């Protein structure tokens, strides 16, 4: 089996594609997804840091750690933009940023 055939067969196995063209498109799209995932993770980490500042200041001023009305705004926004899965995503973000309630 030639190197070209081996490479093509390998790309098809890795992507599930049945043609070289489809395998190339899938590989490129996966690279873009990996980049987007890295950016999303970075943004979530930044959100966590900002949330920590808010919680620290709220508690230092005598407030509660969690502001439920604000959390409801966030849940509503994610739900409006992304539907039911958006609510689950928002809940996960809130838990990452403020911990479990």
């Amino acid at each position: 089996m030639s190197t070209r055939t081996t490479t093509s067969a390998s790309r098809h196995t890795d992507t599930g594609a049945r043609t070289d063209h489809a395998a190339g498109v899938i590989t490129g799209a996966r690279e873009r997804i990996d980049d987007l995932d890295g950016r999303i993770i970075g943004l979530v980490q930044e959100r966590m840091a900002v949330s920590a500042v808010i919680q620290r200041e709220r508690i230092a001023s005598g407030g509660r750690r969690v502001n439920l009305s604000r959390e409801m705004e966030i849940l509503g926004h994610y739900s409006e933009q992304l539907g039911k899965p958006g609510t689950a995503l928002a809940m996960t973000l809130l838990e990452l940023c403020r911990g479990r309630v």
Side-chain angles (χ1 to χ4, degrees):
M1 192 180 263
S2 74
T3 304
R4 181 181 164 103
T5 305
T6 303
T7 303
S8 293
S10 174
R11 282 191 355 173
H12 290 203
T13 301
D14 293 346
T15 64
R18 294 188 177 192
T19 66
D20 284 341
H21 174 75
V25 169
I26 291 166
T27 299
R30 284 181 175 174
E31 288 170 0
R32 185 160 181 225
I33 284 175
D34 290 346
D35 178 60
L36 289 166
D37 284 344
R39 291 167 45 202
I40 290 167
I41 290 166
L43 288 170
V44 169
Q45 290 170 331
E46 182 178 349
R47 189 186 194 289
M48 291 168 68
V50 172
S51 182
V53 169
I54 292 168
Q55 285 182 50
R56 185 173 56 246
E57 290 302 314
R58 188 182 302 120
I59 291 167
S61 71
R64 300 176 64 151
R65 183 174 68 89
V66 175
N67 182 332
L68 294 177
S69 63
R70 174 66 176 146
E71 290 198 1
M72 292 306 294
E73 283 179 38
I74 293 166
L75 289 168
H77 180 68
Y78 274 77
S79 177
E80 288 170 13
Q81 296 300 311
L82 303 171
K84 188 175 180 180
T87 303
L89 176 59
M91 288 296 294
T92 300
L93 282 171
L94 290 169
E95 184 175 333
L96 281 168
C97 292
R98 53 107 164 102
R100 290 186 178 241
V101 246

